[in-house]
Amino acid sequence: MQKIEKLLQKRAAELLAEGTVERVLAWQAGEFFYDNTPAAVSSADECDKLVYNEFCPANLCKYLIETSHAGKKTAVFLKSCDTYGVNQLLKDNRIKREFVYAIGTPCSGMLDINKIKAAGAKGIISVSVDGDEVVVNTAYGEKRLAKADVLLNKCLMCKGAAYKIADEELAEPLPVPQFTGDKFAKVKEIEAMSPEERFAFWQSELSKCIRCNACRNVCPACTCENCVFDNPNSGIAQRAATDSFEENMFHLIRSFHVAGRCTDCGECTRVCPQNIPLHLINRKYIKDINEFYGDYQAGSDLETRAPLNAYTFGDCEPNIVYKRGGNE
């Protein structure tokens, strides 16, 4: 990744110096080596602070809303999974194509520091990747782990190396994690529960919520400028829930608002400080949409209309029970 990082710094500086863009969105070092954060730079001299390694999971596309509204042509470095979010923002008319310069950035999966710690690594000094292994340098010696065992959960279900939108590609694609399982397995497990069990499951999970709004703020499909939950007249603006009704309402209303537009990027779960599996709510909607209307991947292109934004005579009716698996 060090080679790609140098290419990223060089290309960012070139684009700014030649005036192709006014701003660049990438990543910079955080407080810890595994805590890289989004970065915005507007001069070539700042580009040497940009970083890129296996700890750059953040999807940067949502920052394009501000730069697009400001009329600033912005270069954004995008992993393949991030490009779905850019397409969805374009389809939602939240950003303007003429102000976006998309750069496909190779990725072979981002690492989860919590999984590395849970694997027994203590006193961690540095982490590097050696083929299919992760080398953890600790105060007690070196520890090697299988890379597949310490990838972020969202990377375990990688959609592939192809960029869905890119004005240029930074380097040759890297091998990506190969997912062969059923991404809806956990959803089906929850569906198989009794209504009482499902309610207890989600009540247990959502009761952990501290209303930090991290899930809302990171979501590429959750882009209302005036969120209903920020309305001071709503009675629940910007505060922790006081009962189970409020706990459920925030997350269920938010998920309904992004139904059909969620790209299944997994960022909501990744940033949740309480480790609530929020992506499972959205994935349930995705599963139902696929089964009732046919397979659909939000953000895969700019032309296909979302099932919930289009109407055909074969569509399901709310009061009719249809067989799952398409328009039947």
Side-chain angles (χ1 to χ4, degrees):
M1 283 287 201
Q2 189 172 13
K3 179 180 178 181
I4 296 177
E5 178 181 277
K6 293 297 183 183
L7 289 173
L8 183 151
Q9 293 173 344
K10 180 175 181 291
R11 190 63 184 127
E14 289 173 348
L15 289 169
L16 287 167
E18 66 194 23
T20 302
V21 301
E22 297 178 66
R23 185 172 294 180
V24 168
L25 295 174
W27 302 268
Q28 65 183 5
E31 183 176 359
F32 304 103
F33 73 85
Y34 52 79
D35 189 32
N36 297 324
T37 64
V41 297
S42 54
S43 72
D45 295 338
E46 299 177 273
C47 292
D48 58 355
K49 76 175 184 180
L50 301 179
V51 302
Y52 187 67
N53 53 44
E54 287 82 7
F55 292 104
C56 294
N59 184 344
L60 306 172
C61 68
K62 194 167 182 178
Y63 296 97
L64 291 170
I65 298 174
E66 180 183 350
T67 58
S68 186
H69 283 184
K72 293 182 179 295
K73 183 73 173 286
T74 301
V76 56
F77 289 92
L78 302 165
K79 304 180 294 295
S80 59
C81 57
D82 302 336
T83 59
Y84 291 82
V86 175
N87 272 349
Q88 193 57 46
L89 288 171
L90 287 167
K91 291 178 77 169
D92 290 342
N93 294 313
R94 301 298 288 121
I95 60 177
K96 295 181 179 180
R97 184 66 178 95
E98 60 265 32
F99 295 128
V100 176
Y101 192 85
I103 304 175
T105 308
C107 174
S108 60
M110 293 287 146
L111 301 179
D112 188 334
I113 191 64
N114 293 318
K115 287 185 179 180
I116 293 173
K117 291 178 179 179
K122 299 180 179 180
I124 300 173
I125 299 172
S126 64
V127 175
S128 59
V129 174
D130 181 13
D132 293 332
E133 289 189 316
V134 171
V135 182
V136 187
N137 181 26
T138 79
Y140 308 100
E142 181 181 284
K143 186 176 184 66
R144 285 181 170 262
L145 304 169
K147 183 179 178 182
D149 292 339
V150 291
L151 287 173
L152 285 172
N153 288 335
K154 70 174 189 174
C155 296
L156 293 175
M157 298 187 182
C158 180
K159 299 182 183 71
Y163 305 112
K164 296 304 175 179
I165 185 171
D167 293 300
E168 67 173 79
E169 297 182 16
L170 188 62
E172 291 295 317
L174 296 172
V176 298
Q178 298 299 310
F179 177 67
T180 57
D182 180 1
K183 74 174 184 177
F184 297 114
K186 185 62 178 180
V187 173
K188 293 176 181 177
E189 181 182 322
I190 297 172
E191 286 177 336
M193 298 178 180
S194 67
E196 293 77 16
E197 290 171 333
R198 283 198 300 273
F199 182 82
F201 172 82
W202 283 114
Q203 186 176 46
S204 173
E205 291 294 343
L206 297 180
S207 65
K208 304 172 187 175
C209 178
I210 58 175
R211 281 298 305 278
C212 66
N213 289 326
C215 58
R216 181 193 72 177
N217 294 344
V218 78
C219 177
C222 200
T223 60
C224 291
E225 293 183 21
N226 296 304
C227 177
V228 63
F229 290 100
D230 288 340
N231 184 346
N233 296 320
S234 68
I236 55 172
Q238 297 290 351
R239 67 180 177 84
T242 58
D243 54 45
S244 60
F245 174 74
E246 290 187 2
E247 290 168 358
N248 297 336
M249 184 167 62
F250 173 73
H251 290 291
L252 294 182
I253 289 179
R254 200 188 79 77
S255 64
F256 272 121
H257 284 183
V258 303
R261 298 184 298 112
C262 168
T263 65
D264 198 22
C265 70
E267 284 287 86
C268 52
T269 295
R270 182 185 70 82
V271 302
C272 178
Q274 299 297 90
N275 298 312
I276 304 172
L278 295 168
H279 70 285
L280 291 177
I281 305 175
N282 301 315
R283 195 167 286 172
K284 163 63 175 171
Y285 297 158
I286 294 171
K287 177 176 178 291
D288 285 350
I289 288 171
N290 288 350
E291 292 178 347
F292 286 128
Y293 301 103
D295 288 349
Y296 177 73
Q297 172 59 61
S300 61
D301 60 54
L302 294 174
E303 295 77 33
T304 307
R305 291 189 67 182
L308 300 184
N309 289 342
Y311 171 79
T312 69
F313 285 106
D315 282 351
C316 296
E317 294 290 342
N319 60 334
I320 299 176
V321 177
Y322 273 64
K323 294 179 181 179
R324 292 176 179 266
N327 298 333
E328 302 181 17

